[in-house]
Amino acid sequence: MSSTEIMKRAGIARDVLTFWLRNGLLQPMEAAAGRGKHLRFEWYEANIAAVMNQLRILGMKIESMLSIVGTFREAISWAESYGIQPSDLPALDTIFTLHKKRINRLYDDAGLVKMIEQFSDEKYAEARITDRIKKIYYKMPKDEFYQHRDPFMIITEQPEASDVRQAVYQYGKLTYFWRSGEGEKYIFAWGEAAEFRSMCEGSVSSIALDIPTILWRVWNNPEDGIGGLLAWMKAGDDEEAKPEVEV
């Protein structure tokens, strides 16, 4: 992705892009040669730029933005180290939910193996536990999944205008950014419990963003304007929510 496309999709000016590059907020691909318009970026840099632009508009300092971006980049590096794609998350959610139930002694080791094999059936679609998912699960320290899952999921969305699933499950779920001390390090969490978590952790200042809507604007035609966004939201209202897989 070019610098020009990053600016267009994220809605930022060239001086903002230049400042962010100078301070390491955005990172061009290592293989890129030259400067300015010749730089090339991974596609997810557009997502990072769009989210950071909203935080910039709300007055967040560059030091705080860097701490948040660092969390996103750690999550992306984590996923790359295991070969994880965003489409793998439902299946990983399934196998780690089964793991939690084993920890809570709802069944023994043999029961866990049996449940994992049960969810290898193709009828579970996105939640299906394939041999590749099993290998990731057995190799990965379990705390890593819970540390990096949400940041990776948040920053690697590419919603399409017709993505009804995105409208049903993501729209309106706010991501809260907060700090509990005097420094510039922000913590963030996504979903229904995020606001409660921020309060429990002693938030002294917080910012809430509707990141799914921000990213919808990144990946859909700006000329559609609010009409396109409302159509996307209406599609979600008209669609019955798919029931969660019972594990």
Side-chain angles (χ1 to χ4, degrees), residues 141-198:
K142 305 308 177 272
D143 58 340
E144 283 189 12
F145 179 72
Y146 298 108
Q147 177 184 352
H148 297 301
R149 175 193 178 276
D150 281 0
F152 177 69
M153 177 186 67
I154 288 169
I155 210 61
T156 56
E157 290 284 359
Q158 285 183 291
E160 298 178 0
S162 59
D163 191 349
V164 174
R165 179 187 63 82
Q166 181 81 350
V168 171
Y169 295 107
Q170 310 293 351
Y171 175 74
K173 292 184 178 180
L174 298 179
T175 299
Y176 282 80
F177 301 83
W178 71 91
R179 59 189 178 93
S180 55
E182 295 301 321
E184 296 299 333
K185 183 173 178 57
Y186 273 71
I187 306 167
F188 66 93
W190 169 87
E192 291 88 347
E195 181 180 12
F196 179 72
R197 178 183 164 188
S198 72

Side-chain angles (χ1 to χ4, degrees), residues 1 43-44 47 156-160 163 166 215 219-220:
M1 183 176 290
W43 64 268
Y44 52 74
N47 283 359
T156 56
E157 290 284 359
Q158 285 183 291
E160 298 178 0
D163 191 349
Q166 181 81 350
L215 299 188
W219 297 105
N220 292 279

Side-chain angles (χ1 to χ4, degrees), residues 54-67:
Q54 293 302 314
L55 295 174
R56 179 187 69 86
I57 291 169
L58 292 170
M60 183 175 284
K61 295 180 180 179
I62 186 71
E63 292 82 3
S64 298
M65 294 163 67
L66 283 167
S67 76

Side-chain angles (χ1 to χ4, degrees), residues 38-172:
H38 301 294
L39 295 178
R40 304 294 299 178
F41 298 84
E42 295 285 1
W43 64 268
Y44 52 74
E45 295 291 331
N47 283 359
I48 291 174
V51 173
M52 292 304 107
N53 192 41
Q54 293 302 314
L55 295 174
R56 179 187 69 86
I57 291 169
L58 292 170
M60 183 175 284
K61 295 180 180 179
I62 186 71
E63 292 82 3
S64 298
M65 294 163 67
L66 283 167
S67 76
I68 292 169
V69 168
T71 303
F72 285 139
R73 295 201 185 283
E74 287 176 7
I76 291 169
S77 295
W78 161 80
E80 290 177 346
S81 71
Y82 290 101
I84 295 171
Q85 300 295 321
S87 58
D88 294 327
L89 290 179
L92 287 169
D93 279 337
T94 299
I95 198 167
F96 276 95
T97 298
L98 295 174
H99 173 81
K100 272 189 173 181
K101 290 191 173 186
R102 168 64 187 93
I103 296 300
N104 292 331
R105 300 183 179 181
L106 296 181
Y107 34 69
D108 57 16
D109 288 342
L112 174 60
V113 171
K114 182 178 179 180
M115 292 298 296
I116 289 174
E117 291 305 315
Q118 176 183 325
F119 277 90
S120 67
D121 194 297
E122 292 185 358
K123 72 180 181 180
Y124 292 105
E126 290 183 341
R128 179 190 175 207
I129 300 174
T130 64
D131 288 342
R132 188 175 68 84
I133 295 297
K134 291 178 192 175
K135 289 179 181 178
I136 293 172
Y137 164 73
Y138 288 121
K139 182 180 179 182
M140 182 189 300
K142 305 308 177 272
D143 58 340
E144 283 189 12
F145 179 72
Y146 298 108
Q147 177 184 352
H148 297 301
R149 175 193 178 276
D150 281 0
F152 177 69
M153 177 186 67
I154 288 169
I155 210 61
T156 56
E157 290 284 359
Q158 285 183 291
E160 298 178 0
S162 59
D163 191 349
V164 174
R165 179 187 63 82
Q166 181 81 350
V168 171
Y169 295 107
Q170 310 293 351
Y171 175 74

